[in-house]
Amino acid sequence: MLVEVVLAAALAVLLWFAVFRKPEGLPPGRWGLPVIGYIPLTRKSMEEQIVDLHKKHGSIVIWRMGCQLMVFISDYQQAKEAMAKSEFANRPDWDMFTFLEELPLGVGSSNGAHWHANRRFTLRQLRDLGMGKSKLVTGVQEQARKLVERLKEQANEPKPVPHAMKVAVVNVIWQMVAGKMFDMDDKRMKEFDKLLEDLNAATFALGVRDFFPGLKYLPKFVQNRVFGLDRLEEFKEKFFIYFDELIQEHKASLDPDNPGDLIDAYLLEMKEGSGSPDVVRSERDLALLTLDLFFAGSETTTNTLTFMVQYLAMHPEIQTTMQREIDEVLPKGTLATLEDRARLPYTEAVLHEVLRLSSLLPIGAQHSATKDMHFGGYLIPKGSAICTSAMLMHADPRYWEKPEALKPERWLDENGKFTTKKEGFLPFGSGKRVCLGESLARMELLIFATAMLQSLSFAPPKGSTLDVTADPAVPMFHTPRKQDICITVR
Ligand code: HEM
């Protein structure tokens, strides 16, 4: 009997050290059990729990979710330091990111030389297409004009911000990618929009498998039913067919001396070669690169503008000050260009406050550690997913007095000039993978916001208020609540 007890005790100790115990040196937080990780027994949202973890343990915390170790960083300086490291620049190897492609393609999910080449290529396109009075600026202005006309149609009738806002933003990406824009009610545009939504939902459903990889060994028909693998393949196929048509059109009209858009430029690189043996150019990569731009650039900009409209409706005095500035700088009918930015400091300040308060990606986009790293006094094991909690930095009282308040003045110096560099502000991320559409997004926000405020005012429906907090039904991505708003024409 004694032998059995001793053996059982030895086994328990062995198991504890080999399997259950949290390894030395890891940041504090939730370790849980092998395979299942830490499953919380609470009704709090994941976001609230992450806030609690930081309050309890400090600026670097862990949470093992299934088999995936997640590391959350809430301190601005540490986040910047982490994001500058090439060892933290990769995306995790999650199906949710790679759309079940064998090799991650495109730019948002790829890694290494391929990511680098696509990132450089896309930034070059943005720079070439988006500077000065370029086609892209004219395109944004045209969309802003159409959006204002559409918003006027619902004047004096309490209704939510219309879908036209998203169409206007998506059209800007269409202009950049394929040199074309669609009418607000175009059938192909609606089809494409639905396809993006379906693809987004289908990839999100794969998340569970990424955290519990054992589930990947379930029979295919079970996975189809539970994770919708077959649906994802179907949507992907539809997407590639949709894009193939577009690519063939571009091939037929390609003028090597005058590439008009991103697809043209990519097709030229396909002919000429990428210049690196590690980077293979392909039509599939081109399609997924553009998909990344649609995914990353449409909801983000649309949601920021919708949050802005809701915030301004709730702060009429700020709205009036902004309109006064816009009226002084831009005579009615004139739309903003990038050159007007310096003359619109209050507008810039409002946009920055909206980006700060909305914190669209509250825990950023996940990165991955490519090797064991020592960071912030802790061990960050290879394969950990790293998240930077923008929502906490944007509410950090060390950087923001009364962080919960919409205070454009905090962005202005004593002469009313806009102060660009501010610590504690990372809406676009930072470092190696900082948002590559940041300059485009800033241009869109400026042109759309000034066009709207020049012609329209926003208010809550009579006798009610608006809730400007994010919709709790959408996890890990701050989305404005769908609620009625009253538009009046100025
Ligand atoms: C208000 C609007 C936007 C916000 C707040 C925003 C924010 C972000 C954030 C936080 C990231 C993650 C950075 C990281 O991984 O650390 C990101 C990545 C990215 N964004 Fe944006 N973004 C916006 C608009 C756009 C637009 C208009 C485009 C392009 C059309 C775009 C394209 C991308 C791409 C391609 C990435 C992935 C970059 C990479 O992995 O190298 N974004 N964005």
Side-chain angles (χ1 to χ4, degrees):
M1 177 69 185
L2 184 66
V3 175
E4 279 93 341
V5 170
V6 170
L7 276 177
L11 188 66
V13 171
L14 199 72
L15 271 177
W16 168 251
F17 276 99
V19 184
F20 291 105
R21 192 181 62 116
K22 183 177 142 207
E24 285 292 312
L26 292 190
R30 295 174 161 179
W31 181 243
L33 297 168
V35 184
I36 57 173
Y38 184 98
I39 299 185
L41 300 169
T42 171
R43 299 185 106 151
K44 283 188 175 179
S45 72
M46 190 171 143
E47 221 176 290
E48 287 168 318
Q49 294 179 61
I50 293 167
V51 173
D52 288 349
L53 272 174
H54 283 298
K55 269 193 196 145
K56 187 167 172 200
H57 298 293
S59 61
I60 305 182
V61 297
I62 56 162
W63 183 346
R64 191 159 55 147
M65 298 178 175
C67 295
Q68 178 64 59
L69 184 66
M70 308 288 295
V71 177
F72 297 92
I73 304 176
S74 68
D75 177 78
Y76 167 74
Q77 296 296 352
Q78 283 177 325
K80 277 189 64 158
E81 197 189 320
M83 294 299 105
K85 290 191 184 299
S86 50
E87 293 88 346
F88 289 154
N90 274 11
R91 292 276 180 235
D93 182 16
W94 291 345
D95 289 340
M96 176 165 56
F97 283 157
T98 60
F99 299 101
L100 299 176
E101 293 286 306
E102 249 169 61
L103 265 182
L105 299 173
V107 68
S109 324
S110 56
N111 293 317
H114 195 87
W115 162 67
H116 217 262
N118 275 350
R119 194 176 159 93
R120 266 208 330 264
F121 168 81
T122 314
L123 281 169
R124 205 169 51 238
Q125 293 310 306
L126 271 167
R127 197 195 53 219
D128 294 351
L129 297 168
M131 294 300 269
K133 281 190 190 306
S134 66
K135 265 201 262 177
L136 206 51
V137 178
T138 321
V140 181
Q141 290 178 331
E142 184 187 326
Q143 289 306 309
R145 220 171 269 125
K146 286 191 175 159
L147 173 62
V148 170
E149 287 316 307
R150 185 51 68 93
L151 292 172
K152 279 182 182 169
E153 286 171 19
Q154 72 176 61
N156 308 319
E157 247 181 290
K159 276 187 174 173
V161 170
H163 186 63
M165 181 89 92
K166 181 157 172 212
V167 175
V169 168
V170 172
N171 259 334
V172 174
I173 303 176
W174 270 114
Q175 170 71 26
M176 172 173 103
V177 164
K180 59 158 86 181
M181 297 205 190
F182 293 94
D183 276 346
M184 294 255 161
D185 300 309
D186 188 279
K187 203 171 135 254
R188 282 198 67 184
M189 175 67 147
K190 284 189 179 154
E191 255 174 46
F192 183 71
D193 201 33
K194 171 84 174 61
L195 190 53
L196 283 190
E197 262 178 36
D198 288 343
L199 263 171
N200 205 3
T203 47
F204 202 68
L206 293 182
V208 181
R209 276 183 7 144
D210 288 324
F211 286 79
F212 299 94
L215 297 174
K216 290 181 192 173
Y217 301 103
L218 287 173
K220 196 79 191 266
F221 75 92
V222 178
Q223 297 207 53
N224 285 344
R225 211 183 161 96
V226 180
F227 306 116
L229 294 195
D230 47 353
R231 269 199 319 270
L232 175 61
E233 290 298 351
E234 182 194 317
F235 297 145
K236 253 173 57 181
E237 203 46 46
K238 266 195 193 164
F239 174 78
F240 285 123
I241 291 172
Y242 196 101
F243 250 82
D244 187 52
E245 233 174 83
L246 207 64
I247 291 173
Q248 299 319 319
E249 274 172 27
H250 273 70
K251 272 186 175 169
S253 63
L254 182 62
D255 173 0
D257 298 322
N258 194 16
D261 51 49
L262 185 139
I263 296 184
D264 276 353
Y266 193 100
L267 290 174
L268 282 179
E269 260 204 41
M270 269 178 80
K271 274 192 177 167
E272 289 157 11
S274 67
S276 157
D278 299 330
V279 180
V280 179
R281 293 292 181 211
S282 67
E283 290 181 13
R284 207 164 174 92
D285 180 47
L286 168 59
L288 285 168
L289 169 61
T290 55
L291 181 62
D292 281 345
L293 298 177
F294 280 108
F295 268 153
S298 46
E299 295 285 344
T300 43
T301 314
T302 312
N303 287 346
T304 309
L305 288 168
T306 308
F307 269 124
M308 180 198 77
V309 163
Q310 295 186 349
Y311 271 112
L312 290 179
M314 291 304 293
H315 294 85
E317 65 301 342
I318 294 178
Q319 182 169 191
T320 310
T321 313
M322 193 170 160
Q323 284 171 327
R324 211 176 294 132
E325 179 182 81
I326 294 168
D327 291 349
E328 269 171 28
V329 174
L330 302 167
K332 215 160 195 139
T334 317
L335 294 181
T337 64
L338 284 180
E339 285 76 56
D340 297 314
R341 179 176 276 164
R343 299 191 294 146
L344 293 160
Y346 193 82
T347 303
E348 276 286 275
V350 170
L351 290 172
H352 279 69
E353 272 297 83
V354 173
L355 281 168
R356 181 183 70 81
L357 283 166
S358 54
S359 295
L360 291 190
L361 278 84
I363 55 159
Q366 291 75 25
H367 291 220
S368 172
T370 50
K371 59 178 196 175
D372 284 355
M373 290 285 286
H374 285 280
F375 183 80
Y378 300 112
L379 167 72
I380 310 290
K382 179 177 173 181
S384 310
I386 322 283
C387 307
T388 48
S389 308
M391 59 179 178
L392 283 158
M393 292 172 230
H394 292 170
D396 187 335
R398 286 178 299 167
Y399 300 110
W400 313 102
E401 190 215 350
K402 287 211 189 142
E404 68 294 343
L406 178 76
K407 278 179 47 167
E409 320 78 67
R410 66 170 105 236
W411 292 91
L412 303 172
D413 68 13
E414 57 286 2
N415 302 314
K417 268 186 85 178
F418 181 72
T419 47
T420 19
K421 289 274 174 254
K422 237 177 174 342
E423 303 223 303
F425 186 62
L426 284 185
F428 297 99
S430 78
K432 307 266 177 221
R433 275 201 114 113
V434 65
C435 171
L436 64 69
E438 179 174 349
S439 56
L440 175 62
R442 286 177 182 277
M443 172 168 90
E444 289 185 79
L445 294 179
L446 182 80
I447 298 176
F448 281 123
T450 47
M452 284 193 280
L453 272 292
Q454 193 179 48
S455 301
L456 311 164
S457 297
F458 303 96
K462 258 208 171 84
S464 65
T465 61
L466 299 181
D467 187 341
V468 288
T469 59
D471 185 346
V474 186
M476 308 331 287
F477 189 72
H478 283 175
T479 305
R481 290 168 195 254
K482 201 166 177 139
Q483 51 197 331
D484 286 351
I485 191 148
C486 228
I487 299 176
T488 45
V489 179
R490 298 182 64 207

